[in-house]
Amino acid sequence: LTALGLARQDVEVTLLEAEPGLTVDLRAGSFHPPTLEMMAPFGITDEMHKTGIKVPRWQIRDRRQGLIVEWDLGEISDLTPYPYRLHFEQHKLTPLLYKRLLAYPHARVKFSHTVSTVSQSADKVAVTAALPGGGEERLEADWLVGADGGRSVVRRCIDAELEGFTWPERFVVIGTSVNLAEHGYAFNAYVADPEEWCALFKMPGDGPPGFWRVLFPVPPDEPDETA
């Protein structure tokens, strides 16, 4: 999205992606009003609405006591044109971004390019990317944007510390066609419990009842096979 914003302003941009292509996995799946507003000028938000699910109500529940509170984002309809969360998987968003980015002749995407080193002079920044098979490619630019996550190579190379800490938590995410709405759950619900908490999201999918995503905690020392 950052690359698309730059290209739209006639800035030549090259995006380096470590993966060999766009990934298809269960990552982000819920977008909030400010994000939808930010992407609207690119035409992306309208595209997302063609298959996304509007979720104006969401809940906090207790595993034993049941419903604690339910919010209705319709209460902020005077503040945003999108008074709801939009459930739409990240792996469906990235192709929309990618297609629009490639429409600009001054934008490039290089897959299978894993950034390994970064250096800079008074007026340039140089990036070395490792390639499959052991090769590498060196690129130079006026600016470098490090959008490479919590274990950022870019941040490490420029000695920019990531403040905070990592929670010792692991999760398992499953999909089910069981219609959880029949049990009182809103399309987005967080269930509190000291040990066995969970989060539930109704996602786009064929139905009824369609597809629900449920996230559970996994004990830190539990093997993946057991989880």
Side-chain angles (χ1 to χ4, degrees), residues 53-71:
I53 298 177
K54 296 179 181 180
V55 183
R57 299 184 301 110
W58 58 290
Q59 299 172 338
I60 295 290
R61 305 176 70 96
D62 181 271
R63 191 177 178 102
R64 294 171 178 80
Q65 299 177 34
L67 180 64
I68 301 299
V69 64
E70 180 172 296
W71 283 275

Side-chain angles (χ1 to χ4, degrees), residues 3 5-14 104 106-107 143:
L6 291 168
R8 191 168 183 246
Q9 297 179 72
D10 296 325
V11 177
E12 182 179 354
V13 60
T14 299
Y104 292 95
H106 52 278
W143 296 90

Side-chain angles (χ1 to χ4, degrees), residues 5-71:
L6 291 168
R8 191 168 183 246
Q9 297 179 72
D10 296 325
V11 177
E12 182 179 354
V13 60
T14 299
L15 191 152
L16 304 180
E17 169 58 58
E19 297 292 335
L22 299 179
T23 57
V24 179
D25 50 18
L26 294 180
R27 293 180 181 264
S30 182
F31 296 87
H32 293 259
T35 308
L36 297 174
E37 292 178 24
M38 179 178 65
M39 294 190 294
F42 300 95
I44 298 168
T45 300
D46 285 344
E47 284 288 324
M48 294 169 69
H49 276 78
K50 291 180 180 179
T51 55
I53 298 177
K54 296 179 181 180
V55 183
R57 299 184 301 110
W58 58 290
Q59 299 172 338
I60 295 290
R61 305 176 70 96
D62 181 271
R63 191 177 178 102
R64 294 171 178 80
Q65 299 177 34
L67 180 64
I68 301 299
V69 64
E70 180 172 296
W71 283 275

Side-chain angles (χ1 to χ4, degrees), residues 4 22 94-104:
L4 180 59
L22 299 179
T94 48
L96 300 180
L97 298 168
Y98 183 57
K99 178 182 178 180
R100 284 165 171 75
L101 183 60
L102 293 187
Y104 292 95

Side-chain angles (χ1 to χ4, degrees), residues 185-226:
Y185 291 96
F187 281 4
N188 185 190
Y190 298 97
V191 182
D193 186 86
E195 299 294 335
E196 297 183 338
W197 55 266
C198 62
L200 303 93
F201 308 87
K202 178 70 166 65
M203 304 305 298
D206 295 335
F211 169 63
W212 288 75
R213 181 191 293 185
V214 189
L215 183 149
F216 295 101
V218 174
D221 57 347
E222 184 172 281
D224 288 346
E225 294 77 11
T226 304

Side-chain angles (χ1 to χ4, degrees), residues 96-179:
L96 300 180
L97 298 168
Y98 183 57
K99 178 182 178 180
R100 284 165 171 75
L101 183 60
L102 293 187
Y104 292 95
H106 52 278
R108 297 181 299 167
V109 178
K110 290 178 173 283
F111 290 106
S112 299
H113 278 60
T114 303
V115 174
S116 55
T117 62
V118 174
S119 61
Q120 59 184 346
S121 62
D123 58 353
K124 291 286 183 182
V125 58
V127 178
T128 301
L131 307 177
E136 62 181 29
E137 182 175 353
R138 176 183 167 89
L139 301 95
E140 289 189 344
D142 295 330
W143 296 90
L144 172 66
V145 177
D148 47 346
R151 292 183 291 271
S152 169
V153 173
V154 174
R155 186 187 298 113
R156 186 173 69 245
C157 287
I158 63 174
D159 294 325
E161 182 180 357
L162 176 62
E163 298 181 5
F165 61 93
T166 300
W167 289 97
E169 291 182 326
R170 298 162 62 226
F171 315 107
V172 59
V173 181
I174 67 168
T176 178
S177 59
V178 173
N179 188 2

